[in-house]
Structure formats: structure tokens, C-alpha cells
Amino acid sequence: MATTGNGRQAAGVGIGDAERARDELSEALKAAGVKLPSLSLDAVSCAGTAPRVLVDLGRCNVATAHALAAALRPRGAGPRQEAAR
């Protein structure tokens, strides 16, 4: 998120920008075969005179979490394995 020197959101970064970012993320995830069913804007962060809008990635099931992890991994890298205890 773009901010000014005093930590406030820079002009032009608002709900419309957040909606476009959410949609862009949704399309990129879709292209990677991942759908986050709860992807949305965080309603509370949209409130106030100078909203600090957040994109809420929401909740997903285990299969979706695995698909997201696979989509984020560099090509050819397998799943991370936990070290044996």
C-alpha cells in the first residue's frame, strides 16, 4: 500500500484501487488454478474518513491451501517436507 511520509494512505489509494487489486489477484489466482472463495475487501478497513482499505484473503480449505502453495513455488520445486523429529 502506498503511504505518505506520515504513514497516511497516499491520494488515489482507496476502495476503487483495492477493488481493482482484489480483482487482479483473483484473476492471477484463477490463471494458476486457485480460487479463494472468501477473497473480498475488509469492510471495517473501508470505513472512516480516510479508509486504509485491506484486501481480505479469507478462508480456504486444505486443498485450496495446497494449490495456493504450489502456485507460489518456483517451477519444478516440490512441496516442502518437515524435518523428521
Side-chain angles (χ1 to χ4, degrees):
M1 175 184 324
T3 58
T4 62
N6 63 6
R8 292 180 179 249
Q9 235 175 327
V13 179
I15 294 172
D17 291 322
E19 289 172 331
R20 286 186 289 280
R22 176 209 51 212
D23 295 345
E24 180 182 355
L25 177 58
S26 179
E27 288 300 316
L29 288 169
K30 182 178 178 182
V34 178
K35 178 170 178 26
L36 294 178
S38 301
L39 184 64
S40 63
L41 298 186
D42 175 64
V44 174
S45 70
C46 293
T49 55
R52 297 181 62 92
V53 185
L54 300 174
V55 176
D56 187 349
L57 300 180
R59 298 163 38 173
C60 65
N61 62 30
V62 172
T64 301
H66 284 300
L68 181 57
L72 293 172
R73 252 185 236 107
R75 295 211 186 273
R80 278 183 33 170
Q81 301 293 323
E82 279 192 45
R85 293 181 186 204

